[in-house]
């Protein structure tokens, strides 16, 4: 069973996204700091399309903000799947406001990468694993150990990370919710 030591609890940024989107609609424009927060929240939630469209909406004078531009560079790297570049950009010096979200973005990318590796690789070279994870050899070995994987002869031997199975009970619960929602919608429409 994978260890949860490497990745901390996920952030709930949905309220930040909703609040800043509403502010942008009401005000017509946000400050550079607000755009940076919204952009970072989109990157954390892996809403790359929303981030790309946000960049198109940001007024040109605001785009000159150095921190906003750095966040946009991370977004471009993620969009083009250049994760090594994204890690390098994330590991830069950030303001105290953005530092925690940048750490969380890196951890989310690493967790997604771990899951991908566990599902698609029987073995992977340790140096390639380091590159994918954006860590040095020592950190890579700690991650391998914390996940309960094996490292042998310069290769990482992952164990598949399984998603929780909802089974019939979960499916039935979803169906019950849909029926209730459908009944409520029908009641309102009539």
């Amino acid at each position: 069973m994978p260890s949860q030591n490497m990745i901390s609890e996920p952030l709930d940024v949905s309220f930040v996204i909703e609040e800043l989107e509403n502010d942008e609609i009401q005000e017509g424009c946000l400050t550079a700091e607000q755009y940076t927060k919204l952009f970072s929240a989109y990157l954390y939630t892996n809403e790359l399309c929303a981030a790309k469209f946000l960049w198109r909406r940001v007024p040109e004078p605001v785009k000159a903000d150095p921190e906003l531009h750095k966040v946009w560079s991370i977004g471009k790297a993620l969009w083009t799947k250049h994760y090594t570049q994204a890690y390098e950009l994330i590991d830069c010096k950030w303001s105290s406001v953005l530092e925690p979200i940048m750490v969380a973005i890196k951890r989310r990318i690493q967790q997604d990468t771990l899951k991908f590796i566990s599902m698609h690789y029987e073995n992977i070279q340790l140096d390639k694993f380091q590159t994918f994870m954006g860590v040095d050899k020592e950190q890579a070995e700690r991650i391998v150990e914390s996940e309960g994987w094996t490292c042998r002869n310069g290769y990482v031997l992952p164990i598949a990370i399984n998603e929780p199975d909802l089974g019939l009970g979960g499916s039935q619960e979803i169906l019950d919710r849909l029926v209730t929602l459908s009944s409520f919608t029908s009641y309102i429409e009539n």
Side-chain angles (χ1 to χ4, degrees):
M1 183 168 163
S3 167
Q4 296 300 321
N5 294 341
M6 194 194 102
I7 307 302
S8 62
E9 287 294 313
L11 297 177
D12 182 11
V13 296
S14 58
F15 67 94
V16 172
I17 291 173
E18 185 176 341
E19 181 180 301
L20 289 171
E21 285 175 342
N22 287 336
D23 288 350
E24 184 184 22
I25 290 168
Q26 290 174 0
E27 303 296 323
C29 185
L30 298 173
T31 66
E33 183 178 326
Q34 289 173 312
Y35 276 123
T36 304
K37 285 180 186 177
L38 182 55
F39 207 103
S40 300
Y42 284 149
L43 295 183
Y44 177 74
T45 58
N46 204 26
E47 294 182 45
L48 299 180
C49 286
K52 190 174 182 180
F53 287 119
L54 175 63
W55 184 254
R56 290 181 180 178
R57 292 193 312 266
V58 174
E60 286 301 320
V62 178
K63 286 182 179 179
D65 180 80
E67 207 157 50
L68 177 60
H69 203 270
K70 280 185 0 185
V71 176
W72 167 238
S73 295
I74 294 168
K76 286 191 303 187
L78 293 174
W79 182 267
T80 57
K81 298 184 183 344
H82 290 106
Y83 298 110
T84 304
Q85 182 183 12
Y87 288 134
E88 289 171 5
L89 292 165
I90 289 169
D91 288 339
C92 292
K93 178 93 171 113
W94 294 98
S95 67
S96 59
V97 172
L98 283 181
E99 182 70 28
I101 190 78
M102 289 300 140
V103 169
I105 289 170
K106 183 174 182 177
R107 287 182 177 160
R108 187 211 33 94
I109 296 167
Q110 288 175 324
Q111 187 63 44
D112 291 349
T113 302
L114 276 176
K115 183 177 175 187
F116 179 84
I117 290 170
S118 81
M119 308 272 300
H120 299 284
Y121 284 83
E122 289 182 20
N123 61 60
I124 182 172
Q125 290 178 328
L126 181 59
D127 60 342
K128 193 173 185 179
F129 178 77
Q130 288 173 230
T131 301
F132 284 176
M133 295 298 294
V135 296
D136 63 27
K137 184 177 180 182
E138 196 174 292
Q139 291 170 313
E141 289 171 345
R142 280 197 306 266
I143 292 168
V144 167
E145 184 180 320
S146 73
E147 292 297 319
W149 298 358
T150 307
C151 190
R152 192 177 320 137
N153 299 327
Y155 283 87
V156 175
L157 308 170
I159 300 170
I161 297 173
N162 295 321
E163 288 293 313
D165 184 17
L166 292 178
L168 290 176
S171 298
Q172 187 60 49
E173 182 181 330
I174 292 168
L175 285 174
D176 291 344
R177 284 183 173 167
L178 287 174
V179 167
T180 302
L181 182 59
S182 172
S183 298
F184 181 72
T185 304
S186 177
Y187 171 76
I188 289 177
E189 289 176 350
N190 296 325

